[in-house]
Amino acid sequence: MLSVKLHKWKKISSKTQASIYNKPAYVYIPLISQDDDNITLLVKKGDYVYKGSIIARRKGNLRIPIHSSISGTVVGFEEKYYQNGKLEKCIVIENDYKEKYQVNKGVKRNLTKYSKEEFIELLKECGVVGLGGTGFPTYVKYSSKRKINTLIINAIEAEPYITCDSVLAASKCEEILEAIDAIMEINQIPEAIIAVKKTNTELIHTINNFIGTYLRIKLVLVPDIYTLGYEKKLVQYLKHVSYQKYSMDVGIVVNNISTIYAIYQALKYQHPLTERMITFTGDALKKPQNVIVKNGVLVEEVIEHIGGYKRDKKIQLIAGGPMMGRAIPSSDLVVTSNLNCVLVLKPNTGKEVSEVCVHCGKCVEYCPTRLSPVLIKEHLNHPKILKQLEPQRCIECGLCTYLCPSRIKVRDMVQEAKQKVGGSK
Amino acid sequence: MKDFQVGTGTYVITEKNNQKRSIQLFCLLCILILFSVIKNGLLPYLSKQVGLSGLFFPILFVLSGMIMTLLVDLICHQLLEPNKKINYFHSLNLGIIYTLILPLYTPLLFVVLGAAVVIIFEYFMRKLFGKIYLSPVLVGWIFIMGLHLLSFIPTLDYLNPLEVELGTPLGMASTISDLGNYQTIVEPYGSLLDFILGFVPGGVGTTSILLCMMLAIYLTIKKELKWRIPLVTIATVFGMTFMIGEFSHLSLWYPLFQICSGSLVFGSIFIAAYDETSPVTPIGQVLYGLFLGVLIVILRYMTPLTDGALAAMLIIPVFNSVFDYIGAIARFHFTKSVIAFIIAWFLILLFACFIGIQNMKQEKMIETRVEQIDLM
Ligand code: SF4
Ligand code: SF4
C-alpha cells in the first residue's frame, strides 16, 4: 500500500500566536454527543447553571455528561448547526461573565493520588472525550478489563491545515508529560509512546527539552504519511499489531495529545472539559490562527473576533479538516469538544466536473484499509458482490476522493455502500 | 448569520488530474518518437540509405496517426459529448502508441484509417458499455492487420505482412525449425546489446528496451504506472523461455532474446498496463501479468504467430473483471494470496518444461531424419 504526504497548508494557522475567545454573550450547548442524540436533559428554562454544571447526560453504553461552559441562566432552546452538518437542538445559556464553578473545582491535587476507579470516574464526570475529532468518551478506553501495556499519545495531526494539537502541546508540554506519567502510574502502564511527525521539528524540540526526567516515556518520530494519524494505522506502525474494533483489545490505549491535556485539567483541578483549542484557518480568513474557545460558542463570533473573512462570496465553511470534515451551510455552527478545526475556503473542489473513471487504480492502491473503492463504486447495485468487497472497513479518510484524477467523489460512494451493507461509521 | 456553499468532501484534491497525467505521458512518448526518428530516419539518411523524404518519413508516419486520432476525437466529441471537457492529449497519446507499434512500411492510408478506428472504438465502448474492455490501440492494430490481409487481393498493391514479419528477429527465429542458436537468431542483428538499445527491425518505436525500461521506471517513481503488469509479464516470459531454452541447452541469452524481441516490453508498459483496460487491484494486476505472460509464450511456441505479445494483450483484458474480483477479495487475505502466487508460478514453470520437452523431442526427430537422409 502506498502513502500520501499531506503536510501542506499547516503554516497558515501556526504562524500567528494562538488567542482566546472567552466572553461570549450566549452559548448554545447541543444535545448530542458524537452522533448520538439519545440525551437526557437536566435543566429547564430559567435555571441558573455554574460553569461545569452537568446540564444533560448521554444515555446508553457510552454514558457521559454534558457540561455548561459558562455560568449563567438557561434562556431557552434553539436549533444550531452541529459538526455533522445537521441542525441540532441546543440549550441556550446567557453568560453572567462570572465564570463561577459549583464546588470543589479548581482545588489543586497531586496527579497520581487517584485509584484507577477514581480516575475512570473522574474522566467520566469531567466529560473527557477524544479531542482528535472523534469525541469518543476517554474513560471507556481505560475501563477495559485487559491490562494496558502501552499508552500511545497521538500527536501526529494527520489532516492538512490543522495545527491546534501541535500548538497546544508545545505550550503545555510540561503539563502533558506530567499527565502521561500520572496516567501510567494510576493504570500501571509500563510504557508510553508519544508519536510525532518527523517534520514537526518545533514540537519535537519542545518535547525533547522536557522529556529527560520521564524515563518510561518515549518520543517516536513517524514519517509524514497522512493515514498514520488514524488510530489503527498508528498502532500497526508502532506496535505491529492489528485489531478489529478497539485498541484496548490488544492492550493498547491511544489518546490524542490534546486529550491528555484535558485529562491533566481533570486530574489537577477536576475541571470538566468545557473549552478547547481549535484551528481557524483557510484562504478565505483574514487572520487564520488557533483559538481557545468555550463549548457552545458560535463559530461566527470567533471568526469576527479574529478579523473576519477575506472574501465574502462563494466560500465554504468546513467543520473539521479538509479530508474528513463536512461543509456547513451556515455560520450558525456551534463549537463542541470534537470540533478541532474550522476551515473557510474558496472551494477548490467541484471546480472541475467529474469525468468517467479511467481505472487508474489509485483509489485501490492507496486505500489504507485495503478496500477497492472503484469496484465498490461499480457494484453499488449488486448487494452480493458488495458484501464481499467489505465497504464497512472504510475509515472515511478521504484519500480515494483526494487522489482520484477523474474527480469522482469515491468516498461518498463507499459510504453509500457501507450503509447498504449495514456498516457503521 | 452567513450562508456558505455546501458540497461533499474532500475539500482539497490532488493537483494531478487526467489532463496533467496525459501531458506527462505525452512528453515521455515524445522521447520514443525522437528515438524512432533517429533510428528510422536520421541514421539511414546519414548512411545515405535514404534521401530527404526518408529522413522525414518516420515523423510524418507518427504525425499522421496522431493528427487523425485528434481529429476524430474532436468530431466524436462534438457529436456525442459536446458538453464534456475534452482531453486532447489522451487522443494524441493513443495516436502515438498506435503508430509506434506499426512497422514503418505500413501504408499511410492504413495508418490514418486505423487511427480513426482507435478513437471510434473507444467512444463506441464507452457509450455502449460505459467501460472499455479491449485496448483501442490494439483494435486499430488488428484492423490494419485485416487490411494487410485484404491487400493480398491482386488489385491492392500493398506489402504483404509476412514479408514484414520475416524481417524481425522473431520472424527470423520462426523460420528455423528448432529454437535456433545465438549465431542464427541473434548475430544477424548484431549482438544482444543492439536488441537492448533498439537498433533491430520491429515496430516504429517499440524496439528500444533500454528507453522503454527507463520510461517505465520514471512512470513508476511518479506513481503513474501499474508496474506490476510489465514486471510480472516480462518475468513470466523470461522464466518460461528460460526453462524452454534449458531443454535445448541454450543459455541465458535465449530468454533475454525472447524478451528483447517484438513488442513485449513496449506493449506490456504502454498497452497492457494502459489504465482503462487493465485491472485496478494489485493482485488482479499480478494475475493479469501472469496470464498475459503465459499466453504470449503459448502464442509464440504453439501457434504460427511469431510475436504473440500484441495479440495476447488484445485478448487478456476480457478477463479483467475476474482478475479484479479475485484481487479485491484476496487483498484481505494477503498470506494466502502469496501462497497461491507461488503455486501458480510453479505450475507455469512446469508448463514451460512441457513446451521445452516438446521442442526437444521435435529437435531430436529432425536430427534423426537428417541423419537418415545422410545415411541414404
Ligand atoms: S475513504 Fe474509505 S475507501 Fe476511501 S481510501 Fe479511505 S478508507 Fe479507503
Ligand atoms: S481513483 Fe478515480 S479514476 Fe482512478 S480508479 Fe479510482 S475512481 Fe477510477
Side-chain angles (χ1 to χ4, degrees):
Chain A
M1 211 155 3
L2 295 166
S3 51
V4 174
K5 293 179 181 183
L6 285 176
H7 53 267
K8 287 195 261 178
W9 308 292
K10 291 259 186 204
K11 284 214 169 94
I12 301 177
S13 60
S14 58
K15 62 185 179 207
T16 311
Q17 184 105 36
S19 60
I20 302 173
Y21 180 70
N22 59 0
K23 296 260 186 296
Y26 295 93
V27 291
Y28 304 81
I29 308 288
L31 290 169
I32 186 166
S33 169
Q34 288 184 287
D35 264 349
D36 183 3
D37 56 6
N38 189 9
I39 306 280
T40 313
L41 180 65
L42 300 173
V43 288
K44 57 183 187 312
K45 193 174 170 185
D47 283 355
Y48 183 82
V49 292
Y50 294 95
K51 182 175 178 178
S53 292
I54 296 174
I55 53 176
R57 194 179 281 276
R58 179 178 178 176
K59 293 188 254 183
N61 287 341
L62 303 174
R63 289 169 67 94
I64 194 143
I66 295 173
H67 301 91
S68 166
S69 56
I70 53 171
S71 57
T73 313
V74 176
V75 291
F77 300 89
E78 265 180 48
E79 281 196 331
K80 296 284 175 199
Y81 278 100
Y82 179 61
Q83 67 150 308
N84 63 6
K86 292 180 192 151
L87 282 167
E88 296 291 345
K89 188 176 168 187
C90 300
I91 306 169
V92 188
I93 304 167
E94 188 176 5
N95 199 351
D96 65 4
Y97 300 103
K98 289 183 180 152
E99 298 280 309
K100 265 202 289 187
Y101 277 105
Q102 202 165 5
V103 275
N104 295 335
K105 302 271 194 251
V107 183
K108 275 193 193 176
R109 270 187 73 169
N110 186 334
L111 261 60
T112 52
K113 294 276 180 291
Y114 289 90
S115 67
K116 181 161 180 167
E117 291 69 32
E118 284 172 338
F119 171 75
I120 290 168
E121 195 52 32
L122 183 75
L123 294 190
K124 190 176 184 177
E125 284 312 297
C126 287
V128 178
V129 293
L131 297 186
T134 61
F136 185 80
T138 305
Y139 77 89
V140 180
K141 296 191 173 185
Y142 291 93
S143 309
S144 162
K145 293 268 179 301
R146 244 193 112 104
K147 175 166 170 45
I148 305 168
N149 296 315
T150 309
L151 170 64
I152 295 175
I153 296 94
N154 186 347
I156 289 178
E157 237 169 11
E159 289 228 31
Y161 283 103
I162 306 178
T163 54
C164 55
D165 285 344
S166 302
V167 169
L168 181 81
S171 61
K172 302 287 179 194
C173 190
E174 269 186 285
E175 289 87 340
I176 286 170
L177 287 169
E178 203 182 330
I180 297 170
D181 194 51
I183 297 167
M184 290 171 80
E185 184 136 350
I186 296 166
N187 294 282
Q188 308 277 306
I189 306 172
E191 163 195 57
I193 297 169
I194 307 178
V196 183
K197 269 187 201 163
K198 270 184 193 145
T199 45
N200 195 347
T201 44
E202 215 170 299
L203 184 58
I204 295 167
H205 182 73
T206 317
I207 295 176
N208 273 332
N209 277 347
F210 293 102
I211 204 169
T213 48
Y214 298 99
L215 298 177
R216 292 184 305 162
I217 307 175
K218 273 197 291 185
L219 174 65
V220 175
L221 308 185
V222 300
D224 186 0
I225 291 170
Y226 168 58
T227 45
L228 270 189
Y230 293 91
E231 200 171 298
K232 272 189 184 172
K233 291 284 136 191
L234 185 61
V235 170
Q236 221 166 43
Y237 179 83
L238 293 173
K239 302 301 289 179
H240 312 288
V241 284
S242 41
Y243 56 88
Q244 280 297 314
K245 207 166 178 193
Y246 298 117
S247 63
M248 297 82 84
D249 300 340
V250 287
I252 296 169
V253 167
V254 184
N255 280 155
N256 176 277
I257 198 153
S258 294
T259 311
I260 297 285
Y261 184 66
I263 296 177
Y264 172 85
Q265 292 275 348
L267 290 175
K268 189 88 180 178
Y269 307 108
Q270 303 82 53
H271 277 171
L273 181 59
T274 55
E275 61 185 25
R276 63 159 301 155
M277 188 177 274
I278 297 174
T279 304
F280 283 80
T281 186
D283 51 16
L285 283 185
K286 272 191 188 147
K287 286 187 196 152
Q289 59 193 269
N290 286 293
V291 191
I292 296 173
V293 193
K294 289 178 187 302
N295 286 350
V297 170
L298 288 181
V299 156
E300 179 69 11
E301 286 177 37
V302 188
I303 292 177
E304 263 170 40
H305 167 76
I306 61 169
Y309 304 96
K310 229 189 236 172
R311 50 186 279 167
D312 258 7
K313 290 202 176 95
K314 288 192 179 164
I315 51 176
Q316 264 182 334
L317 181 115
I318 293 130
M323 298 297 282
M324 296 187 70
R326 216 175 269 267
I328 309 289
S330 140
S331 56
D332 251 3
L333 169 71
V334 286
V335 166
T336 45
S337 298
N338 50 351
L339 182 73
N340 54 358
C341 179
V342 173
L343 189 57
V344 191
L345 288 174
K346 289 183 264 176
N348 60 358
T349 55
K351 263 196 299 193
E352 291 177 73
V353 279
S354 295
E355 296 166 22
V356 285
C357 168
V358 291
H359 283 85
C360 65
K362 285 188 189 288
C363 54
V364 182
E365 195 87 50
Y366 287 85
C367 175
T369 50
R370 294 182 179 276
L371 287 174
S372 306
V374 55
L375 299 181
I376 294 175
K377 169 179 92 67
E378 282 172 2
H379 291 98
L380 271 176
N381 296 321
H382 303 97
K384 248 187 172 168
I385 300 180
L386 205 56
K387 221 169 187 171
Q388 290 171 319
L389 296 174
E390 303 190 24
Q392 66 278 11
R393 284 175 179 248
C394 173
I395 54 168
E396 296 175 18
C397 68
L399 261 188
C400 46
T401 303
Y402 173 83
L403 288 166
C404 179
S406 296
R407 307 310 190 211
I408 299 168
K409 303 265 182 192
V410 197
R411 179 184 51 189
D412 293 0
M413 295 177 181
V414 178
Q415 271 176 283
E416 195 185 325
K418 207 167 161 180
Q419 277 162 8
K420 282 192 176 173
V421 301
S424 61
K425 200 173 173 175
Chain B
M1 192 173 83
K2 190 169 160 47
D3 292 333
F4 296 93
Q5 292 193 342
V6 282
T8 53
T10 59
Y11 304 97
V12 284
I13 41 172
T14 174
E15 285 163 10
K16 221 169 207 178
N17 56 16
N18 287 328
Q19 177 100 6
K20 287 189 178 149
R21 297 176 72 225
S22 299
I23 293 174
Q24 185 182 41
L25 181 62
F26 177 79
C27 297
L28 298 184
L29 289 173
C30 284
I31 299 175
L32 289 178
I33 297 178
L34 190 68
F35 167 77
S36 148
V37 170
I38 293 173
K39 181 197 153 198
N40 300 307
L42 189 64
L43 292 181
Y45 177 75
L46 290 178
S47 60
K48 298 205 168 49
Q49 284 173 300
V50 293
L52 262 184
S53 60
L55 171 65
F56 291 109
F57 186 73
I59 190 76
L60 179 72
F61 187 87
V62 180
L63 276 178
S64 61
M66 284 167 71
I67 292 169
M68 194 59 186
T69 46
L70 186 64
L71 272 178
V72 178
D73 193 14
L74 280 169
I75 295 167
C76 290
H77 180 259
Q78 273 307 315
L79 291 176
L80 302 168
E81 317 177 318
N83 301 325
K84 281 195 182 161
K85 210 176 118 191
I86 184 165
N87 179 359
Y88 302 109
F89 286 93
H90 172 69
S91 46
L92 284 175
N93 289 342
L94 285 180
I96 298 174
I97 297 172
Y98 155 76
T99 44
L100 290 185
I101 57 173
L102 300 175
L104 190 62
Y105 28 77
T106 310
L108 279 184
L109 178 64
F110 284 14
V111 177
V112 169
L113 287 176
V117 169
V118 170
I119 300 298
I120 292 169
F121 177 77
E122 197 187 34
Y123 271 90
F124 172 77
M125 285 298 249
R126 270 230 184 91
K127 284 276 158 210
L128 212 64
F129 305 109
K131 209 172 165 180
I132 300 166
Y133 288 100
L134 297 176
S135 161
V137 162
L138 292 180
V139 171
W141 169 77
I142 205 90
F143 173 77
I144 289 209
M145 290 298 125
L147 286 183
H148 272 304
L149 288 177
L150 277 182
S151 68
F152 281 118
I153 300 165
T155 43
L156 295 170
D157 197 19
Y158 292 123
L159 272 169
N160 176 341
L162 282 177
E163 287 172 26
V164 177
E165 284 284 339
L166 283 174
T168 62
L170 284 171
M172 165 79 94
S174 73
T175 59
I176 299 166
S177 51
D178 56 6
L179 291 182
N181 54 47
Y182 194 84
Q183 284 73 29
T184 53
I185 59 174
V186 178
E187 274 183 3
Y189 301 97
S191 66
L192 267 182
L193 186 67
D194 291 291
F195 280 78
I196 291 169
L197 294 178
F199 295 106
V200 290
V204 171
T206 58
T207 52
S208 178
I209 308 305
L210 185 70
L211 264 186
C212 290
M213 291 283 196
M214 279 164 62
L215 298 187
I217 292 169
Y218 178 81
L219 282 171
T220 305
I221 293 169
K222 289 280 165 195
K223 304 195 170 86
E224 289 301 336
L225 179 70
K226 292 176 179 169
W227 55 272
R228 293 176 190 86
I229 294 174
L231 183 76
V232 178
T233 307
I234 295 170
T236 306
V237 174
F238 182 87
M240 290 183 79
T241 51
F242 175 77
M243 296 303 281
I244 294 169
E246 275 301 290
F247 281 94
S248 298
H249 309 292
L250 303 174
S251 58
L252 204 62
W253 67 266
Y254 183 71
L256 283 175
F257 164 81
Q258 286 292 337
I259 282 169
C260 298
S261 312
S263 310
L264 172 62
V265 173
F266 176 89
S268 62
I269 296 165
F270 295 103
I271 299 174
Y274 175 62
D275 280 346
E276 304 205 31
T277 47
S278 57
V280 287
T281 58
I283 294 172
Q285 288 161 18
V286 170
L287 282 175
Y288 176 92
L290 277 180
F291 276 80
L292 188 57
V294 173
L295 188 59
I296 290 171
V297 174
I298 291 177
L299 292 180
R300 278 190 187 177
Y301 288 87
M302 302 172 98
T303 71
L305 283 177
T306 52
D307 184 352
L310 297 182
M313 285 167 203
L314 186 66
I315 300 165
I316 290 293
V318 174
F319 305 102
N320 278 350
S321 333
V322 182
F323 296 143
D324 266 338
Y325 177 73
I326 299 171
I329 311 282
R331 291 195 90 190
F332 307 133
H333 312 282
F334 192 70
T335 329
K336 278 186 200 163
S337 318
V338 173
I339 297 170
F341 177 77
I342 293 168
I343 296 172
W345 246 95
F346 183 69
L347 291 176
I348 286 169
L349 292 183
L350 269 184
F351 180 59
C353 292
F354 167 74
I355 300 177
I357 292 168
Q358 295 291 97
N359 264 311
M360 201 173 65
K361 279 184 188 164
Q362 218 173 326
E363 275 172 35
K364 283 225 169 104
M365 249 164 61
I366 292 165
E367 270 170 32
T368 329
R369 274 215 193 130
V370 171
E371 275 166 19
Q372 280 171 352
I373 291 167
D374 283 352
L375 281 174
M376 272 160 57

